[in-house]
Amino acid sequence: MSAVDPIVRFENIQKSYDGEVNIVKNLNLDIERGEFLTLLGPSGSGKSTCLMMLAGFESPTQGTIYLDGQALNKIPPYKRDIGVVFQNYALFPHMSVAENIAFPLGVRKVPKSEIEQRTKKALDMVRLGHLADRKPIQLSGGQQQRIALARALVFEPKLVLLDEPLGALDKNLREQMQIELKHLHENLGVTMVFVTHDQSEALTMSDRIAVFNDGIIQQIDSPTALYERPANEFVATFIGETNVMRGTVEQLINNTCQLRLNSGALIHAEAGAGLQIGQPACLSVRPERIDFTLASDAECNRINGHLAEYIYHGDHIRLRLTLAENDDFMIKVPANHWQGSFTPGQATELCFRASDCRAVPVA
Amino acid sequence: MELAVENNGPSLKDESRELKIRLRRSQRRQKMKALLLVAPLFLFTLIVFITPIALMMVRSVESPEVQNAFPETSKALMQWQATELPSVDIYALMVQEIRQSWADKTLSQAAQRINYEDPGFRSLLTRTARQLSRGSAPKTAAEAKALLIKTNAQWGELPTWQVIKNTAPAYTSYYLLTSLDLQKNAQGDIVAAPEDQGIYVNIFLRTLWIAFVVTMICLVLGFPLAHLLANAPSKYANLLMIGVLLPFWTSLLVRTSAWVVVLQKNGLINGLLESIGLINEPLILLFNRPGVYIGLVHILLPFMVLSLYSVMKSIPGTYMRAALSLGAHPVVAFFKVYVPQTLPGVAAGFLLCFIMSIGYYITPALIGSPQDQMISYFIAYYTNNVINWGMASALGAILLLASTLLFVLYARLSNRNQIKMG
């Protein structure tokens, strides 16, 4: 986790608002130069607080944040040289688009001709050069978002923080902006720290994702690693969709284990870190990893269940099953793979490979 | 298929026409409902607010007294050229109508009205009427003229008749002109009044100046308070808000009288300042300009604070944060980002306080010296003390005009701002 030359380092950071509960508990985090890091977690998990501490709007109760090796605790926000994009954009309503973008340059006493030139460049970067003289209120949500981005980037900050910037946009626009933001990051190479509670957004854009819950980073990893190899039950259920079953660890060999489910079935699974023989564990199986074509494969895990519901989604079909361990077990089948018939209450055997399920410590 | 469309055409048209009629009917019902809902307040406003103001405005130009007392003479004098003494017939009419109005007791009002323009006219008319009423009526017109001039030689002079002619029309610009320190000379031209009579322009300027100073003090004191109110945690903000609103729950008269107690020579303020050794002899805070400022600011501050608060409450804190994150020093951020967004509130509060203070009466009357009285004092004086409703109305009309002009200016400015922002 410790990079060679991190741009930001959180060292033993704690934050409490009321003196009783720590909203951030002993956080240690290195942000690497040029990466796109997402802080992901449910609301109240401490991710936004971390961002605000980094921006300087909140101060840690304990610990030190370093930016480029320099302790930030005593440096006020306006001297930190960190660009921030807010959820509601916070474009100044009394200034035109160009004046908004020129603002950070103006307060830095950049020469007038240079301001003009850099403002124009920033506007062109977000492809909104033709809107320079408009007031923010005359722009659509997506355009305001881009202006806010241009304003946070125009003074070439060391770091750009984005606090749920896409939350207010509708779904299509949000997806379009995700791609645009990702391209912008790739082209500029600036370090970006992005906060969201939307896991699909995090998966789409990030180099690394730090999953927050309860003031603690549950796991920090690449999107693939998070999805494929969640470290614990929280990450497994928070990232993507999964089916959870509980049992006890019976055997543990390297990265695999045998798990006795509470219903008595024995399951072979990949083992996450921190499992111990005889201890309870949680088995996570992704809905799309259940395969009906595996019935003849002797190696795979088998569980019995009953079909409960059939839900048509166009490109795929979802089946809800009731199992002894979980009466809300979902299966996702591509529509063109589905040949079976559906009768409620019909008994079915589920098969999945040991490599497609993962046992992790109980949260 | 085409046939079917052609057949459908007219019926579709009919249908849409019918739809329009139905829509209009349903909207009419809504409009009626809306009208009914506003009707009580509208009638109330009309009866107790708009009508009295309209009547007052009329009073500022109305001058019926002379015509009431001397109807025929007035008519005749309005035809008269005023270059030489009027004809004997007019003398005869005058004598007859003086006797008549003396009996009807309408003479005194006319005498007072003419007296405004020519001091001393009241005694002339009253003395003349008393003498005429003792004797018998003159037989001929020539006799009437001789009789009138005999009672007082002034009746034989041209200016006496010119004054009556000037006051004869039913409408006059006299009150309004006087309110602006102007008057009509004998030729009917508008000229400046003599210096000893022209006091109102100064009083208007004084009124505007006091209102301006009071409003500026309110703004300077109210801005930080409103900012605190809008940004404090709701627990404290509610308490503070009660503090701001408290004066509204206390009688205006009580509050103003309390200032007399607090500000007097041996009052609280002087006692406190002396006991901590800041001053050696008591400050004079009462019956002078600072006292008026203190009293007015105390009364008008809540209006300023509430105007500012309502706007500041709607400015999210993220603007300041954004400005800081972009590298602006907190002071720069405050003046470049925060203050411009509060301008609608500043303008509303300024206008509210200013308009309220230019019409204020009680506070300057109770804690000001004669040199601190504002225009409302003179309106009250003319209404209550000397019963000159014409002057009271004229001063009031000019005050109303000034307020309206200010309001129009404000509406223009705020409109332009909206267009700029929108």
Side-chain angles (χ1 to χ4, degrees), chain A residues 57 78 82 91 94 108 137, chain B residues 319 321 325-326 336 421:
Chain A
F57 302 129
Y78 62 93
I82 296 177
L91 294 176
H94 57 291
R108 282 179 172 73
I137 203 166
Chain B
Y319 288 126
R321 287 187 163 191
S325 78
L326 293 170
K336 281 201 163 171
M421 279 182 175

Side-chain angles (χ1 to χ4, degrees), chain B residues 11 28 56 100 192 204 232 276 293 299 366 397 399:
Chain B
S11 83
R28 194 182 308 150
M56 184 199 84
Q100 183 63 40
F204 272 114
I276 59 171
Y293 289 152
I299 284 156
L366 287 185
L399 188 61

Side-chain angles (χ1 to χ4, degrees), chain B residues 101-123:
Chain B
S101 60
W102 177 255
D104 294 346
K105 303 205 185 319
T106 52
L107 182 100
S108 65
Q109 281 169 5
Q112 173 154 15
R113 170 68 189 89
I114 305 173
N115 199 58
Y116 293 152
E117 305 211 6
D118 184 3
F121 213 97
R122 184 181 5 219
S123 59

Side-chain angles (χ1 to χ4, degrees), chain A residues 143-335:
Chain A
Q143 290 170 334
Q144 290 188 29
Q145 180 59 73
R146 289 197 220 143
I147 298 300
L149 252 174
R151 189 179 66 174
L153 288 167
V154 72
F155 60 101
E156 290 163 8
K158 296 174 185 160
L159 187 63
V160 178
L161 311 181
L162 304 110
D163 186 14
E164 308 215 18
L166 308 180
L169 304 179
D170 62 40
K171 190 168 168 287
N172 285 338
L173 198 55
R174 195 160 63 219
E175 283 167 6
Q176 190 190 327
M177 281 302 298
Q178 287 170 11
I179 304 297
E180 210 162 303
L181 203 56
K182 197 177 167 173
H183 289 168
L184 214 54
H185 173 252
E186 283 162 7
N187 293 340
L188 297 175
V190 64
T191 312
M192 286 188 172
V193 182
F194 187 91
V195 161
T196 184
H197 61 265
D198 181 338
Q199 44 101 6
S200 74
E201 201 166 274
L203 292 177
T204 313
M205 309 192 336
S206 318
D207 295 326
R208 286 198 306 160
I209 301 173
V211 182
F212 276 70
N213 191 37
D214 240 0
I216 292 170
I217 294 186
Q218 304 285 333
Q219 185 174 0
I220 175 159
D221 237 324
S222 69
T224 335
L226 278 182
Y227 190 81
E228 301 291 343
R229 295 185 294 281
N232 57 32
E233 186 182 352
F234 177 81
V235 178
T237 50
F238 195 75
I239 307 282
E241 202 182 348
T242 198
N243 295 297
V244 167
M245 289 176 282
R246 285 166 199 281
T248 315
V249 181
E250 288 209 335
Q251 214 180 51
L252 197 59
I253 307 161
N254 295 335
N255 287 334
T256 61
C257 67
Q258 282 182 29
L259 201 65
R260 179 71 67 186
L261 296 185
N262 295 347
S263 64
L266 187 71
I267 303 287
H268 295 262
E270 284 192 354
L275 287 180
Q276 277 177 328
I277 291 175
Q279 292 293 309
C282 156
L283 182 75
S284 149
V285 190
R286 299 284 183 195
E288 72 275 14
R289 298 292 164 83
I290 310 282
D291 197 338
F292 285 95
T293 61
L294 285 175
S296 57
D297 190 335
E299 289 285 289
C300 77
N301 295 305
R302 289 162 199 278
I303 312 181
N304 293 316
H306 295 91
L307 290 174
E309 206 173 342
Y310 171 92
I311 306 152
Y312 181 68
H313 274 269
D315 60 335
H316 71 273
I317 286 151
R318 277 162 181 271
L319 297 171
R320 188 168 70 81
L321 289 90
T322 52
L323 268 60
E325 291 82 6
N326 183 345
D327 61 359
D328 201 22
F329 195 100
M330 296 301 283
I331 298 180
K332 230 165 126 179
V333 191

